[in-house]
Amino acid sequence: MIYLDNAATTPVIPKALEVAWSYLTTEFGNPSSTHELGLRAGTALEDARARCAKWLDVPGADIVFTSGGTEGDNLAITGLALANPRGKHIISVPTEHEAVLETLRFLERVHGFEITWLSVDREGMIDLHEFTSDLRPDTSLVTLMLANNEVGTIHPLPEIIQAAHAAGALVHTDAVQAAGWLDIRGGKNGTLLSGVDALTISGHKLGAPKGSGLTYIRGRYAVEPLLHGGGQEQGRRSGTENVAWALALATALEALPEPTAEAERMGTLRDEFISAVTSTIPHAALTGSPAHRHPAIASFTCAGLNGETLLLELEQRGVIVSSGSACAAGSDEPSHVLLACGIDADTAQTSVRFSFSHHTTAEELHLAAAAFAEAVAAVSSLSN
Ligand code: PLP
């Protein structure tokens, strides 16, 4: 099997599982307990926090452990929006993940926020001039993902952060797909996210268990919590902390390769894969931005073919991919991302997303491109 659906989820790495196992079994204490077992769990939790903070180059006190990307996006966006007295205007983009879209719709519906949705071009890219002119004195928050999970387009976060800060607005970014592939260190100058006010990471996209994750929110900002209770995580997220998952996340983050070199290495393999596909399969049209693109995501539409059958044909040839966001699974609606890019609904139904892991090889991509060509030929012959 060639698994090329890593943007949907990844296997847990053995080292992360090992550390989690011991904190689920022998070292199972509650970090709030005052006996020795609890104290050890508390120390381990803070160790995990310090290691994640070091990896992100931000203060440990600004990290909240969450149950993953969905919760992290909800916490950062709702938490900052409700606590920020500046105003009720938020700017975002219709190509965000549902975790962001639905949170914004909730703020609009229940709390009277006004959302400005930026337009995107055919490649899923925003227009910075439009963005700057949409900033208002009452804009409290801008939330724009760094790398899109379906088409891989990378937004110009440094320019967005600079313009938003100049106008007095905070910036949150969903960095769920970017983590491990792009330089998302928050504190360091010159990285993609230097100066960002909040960012979200999900563990299961990078070798930690499903249900692990973190959100970084700059310490000095007030945050309205989603979960009310015992006041854990500095009152930002109540509930007994998941020490095992926090340690697994720290371990998985530390095992990731250095992002700049990795983005270059995988970007080369991705481009070879894209050329192999587009030169042999006339049906396949690349989606997203060719120039500003996640190094491990290559997605195509195959107009005129049946997308679902295409995925099955690929699977029969041992290549596991998806049609786009697994997070909207079960729905046979065309992708909201492709529709926002101006792709018609019928063509959007034919999308195939290949997403690589740090271990994906050139040989696997060569085989996958050949399998894709065969699958397209098989589906075309069915539809003739
Ligand atoms: N944000 C993005 C960009 C994603 O791709 C996903 C999952 O696919 C999420 C958020 C949700 O993360 P989780 O599955 O950890 O809730």
Side-chain angles (χ1 to χ4, degrees):
M1 171 178 94
I2 302 178
Y3 179 76
L4 298 178
D5 198 15
N6 293 278
T9 199
T10 60
V12 176
I13 62 165
K15 271 204 302 192
L17 181 62
E18 253 166 57
V19 68
W21 179 254
S22 76
Y23 279 85
L24 289 166
T25 51
T26 45
E27 294 293 328
F28 61 87
N30 181 329
S32 299
S33 300
T34 51
H35 48 67
E36 191 52 37
L37 197 60
L39 294 177
R40 284 207 301 272
T43 305
L45 179 68
E46 292 320 311
D47 172 55
R49 196 185 313 281
R51 288 162 57 197
C52 291
K54 184 162 182 241
W55 187 85
L56 268 174
D57 197 14
V58 298
D62 295 357
I63 287 189
V64 181
F65 286 114
T66 66
S67 64
T70 301
E71 184 191 332
D73 284 338
N74 273 262
L75 174 66
I77 297 170
T78 309
L80 287 172
L82 292 183
N84 186 344
R86 195 174 132 87
K88 289 194 161 190
H89 178 235
I90 299 179
I91 301 179
S92 190
V93 70
T95 50
E96 290 290 321
H97 187 272
E98 286 81 357
V100 169
L101 298 179
E102 291 304 322
T103 301
L104 292 174
R105 288 180 191 132
F106 162 78
L107 286 173
E108 198 174 33
R109 197 175 65 246
V110 177
H111 293 283
F113 277 76
E114 188 191 336
I115 317 294
T116 294
W117 299 104
L118 300 171
S119 53
V120 293
D121 64 16
R122 189 91 185 166
E123 297 179 355
M125 192 57 90
I126 63 157
D127 176 348
L128 270 175
H129 294 293
E130 182 195 340
F131 168 66
T132 311
S133 62
D134 282 335
L135 286 162
R136 310 191 318 214
D138 65 339
T139 308
S140 52
L141 184 68
V142 172
T143 177
L144 282 176
M145 71 205 317
L146 181 54
N148 185 271
N149 50 308
E150 291 190 37
V151 296
T153 300
I154 295 173
H155 284 142
L157 257 294
E159 288 84 352
I160 288 161
I161 294 168
Q162 199 182 18
H165 283 177
L170 303 183
V171 179
H172 163 255
T173 193
D174 175 327
V176 166
Q177 295 295 342
W181 296 103
L182 303 173
D183 192 348
I184 61 167
R185 285 168 294 173
K188 218 171 169 92
N189 282 334
T191 71
L192 283 169
L193 294 185
S194 52
V196 77
D197 301 293
L199 74 85
T200 303
I201 290 182
S202 169
H204 75 98
K205 310 289 185 180
L206 45 81
K210 291 169 188 59
S212 65
L214 67 81
T215 283
Y216 155 75
I217 303 175
R218 255 182 224 282
R220 62 181 187 273
Y221 299 128
V223 178
E224 189 60 47
L226 299 175
L227 301 179
H228 306 274
Q232 289 90 342
E233 299 291 280
Q234 301 189 68
R236 290 177 161 192
R237 191 215 193 229
S238 286
T240 302
E241 303 91 333
N242 193 335
V243 181
W245 268 208
L247 283 163
L249 178 59
T251 306
L253 287 175
E254 287 169 351
L256 290 169
E258 195 284 315
T260 314
E262 178 65 353
E264 194 162 326
R265 185 189 73 81
M266 191 50 85
T268 306
L269 293 185
R270 172 208 58 196
D271 289 343
E272 285 165 9
F273 176 72
I274 291 173
S275 325
V277 167
T278 50
S279 63
T280 53
I281 310 175
H283 277 95
L286 184 71
T287 58
S289 166
H292 305 285
R293 188 175 194 91
H294 190 295
I297 295 181
S299 58
F300 307 88
T301 51
C302 298
L305 299 185
N306 182 317
E308 222 174 295
T309 320
L310 196 51
L311 295 189
L312 287 175
E313 289 287 342
L314 271 163
E315 187 162 0
Q316 276 170 16
R317 289 167 176 78
V319 179
I320 309 299
V321 296
S322 76
S323 64
S325 171
C327 307
S331 119
D332 48 14
E333 293 294 306
S335 144
H336 68 277
V337 174
L338 297 179
L339 294 181
C341 295
I343 294 172
D344 68 82
D346 285 343
T347 305
Q349 298 272 25
T350 69
S351 77
V352 182
R353 177 189 67 186
F354 296 80
S355 52
F356 318 143
S357 81
H358 298 287
H359 308 290
T360 301
T361 62
E363 173 65 5
E364 284 176 317
L365 293 183
H366 176 73
L367 293 171
F372 192 20
E374 279 177 30
V376 167
V379 180
S380 308
S381 70
L382 286 179
S383 45
N384 284 334

